[in-house]
Amino acid sequence: MPTLIPPTYHPYLANTAALIACVPTAVGIIGLRNPSAILGIFESAPLSSTATAQDHKLLDGFIRLFAARDIAVGVTTLAIWYHGCRGGKREGYATLGTAMLVAAGLVVMDGLVSRWVNGRGEWKHWGFAPVSLGIAGALLGYI
């Protein structure tokens, strides 16, 4: 793949990507263990008092699905960092850059969903997008 400038193979860049990957992993773990805590983090209104036990069970199930997705993206990115970037393996940097692009798409979509559902809270997600895109661009050689 032709790039504008040579990719950056600096370990600090890869380590920053790994640090960012810890965020969705941690949020996912919290979501699996305590789904109602995620509602508080992202300013979502709790279910009304008329909600049935089935409504609560369904909401907890959806939160756990998103939590599993967050863990999968975070752990995959961490695995790419751990196995692909140690010892200056240049192929790992491009793969890590691609994983950061995927993470950027994930937070953009999460922000859109937050905006559609709550009418607010999108910037709690979108704040990570420029950082992820910047790191991805540097790892892939576009910045």
Side-chain angles (χ1 to χ4, degrees):
M1 171 166 90
T3 58
L4 303 175
I5 61 173
T8 305
Y9 300 116
H10 200 284
Y12 289 155
L13 191 60
N15 292 343
T16 302
L19 184 64
I20 290 172
C22 291
V23 173
T25 304
V27 170
I29 290 169
I30 292 168
L32 282 180
R33 294 188 47 81
N34 186 5
S36 61
I38 296 298
L39 292 175
I41 290 172
F42 295 112
E43 301 177 8
S44 296
L47 291 176
S48 69
S49 59
T50 60
T52 66
Q54 187 63 25
D55 294 335
H56 287 280
K57 190 174 180 179
L58 180 65
L59 181 61
D60 285 352
F62 278 126
I63 291 172
R64 285 190 169 112
L65 283 174
F66 275 88
R69 179 207 58 172
D70 285 348
I71 291 171
V73 168
V75 170
T76 300
T77 304
L78 288 170
I80 293 168
W81 164 76
Y82 183 77
H83 294 290
C85 297
R86 290 187 339 180
K89 296 178 188 172
R90 294 182 178 198
E91 303 82 21
Y93 282 80
T95 309
L96 186 59
T98 305
M100 293 306 293
L101 285 176
V102 170
L106 183 85
V107 296
V108 167
M109 194 63 208
D110 284 352
L112 288 172
V113 169
S114 182
R115 187 173 189 174
W116 293 331
V117 172
N118 300 325
R120 66 185 188 287
E122 64 271 14
W123 284 104
K124 288 187 177 185
H125 302 277
W126 290 349
F128 286 99
V131 176
S132 297
L133 288 172
I135 291 172
L139 289 167
L140 293 170
Y142 290 105
I143 295 178

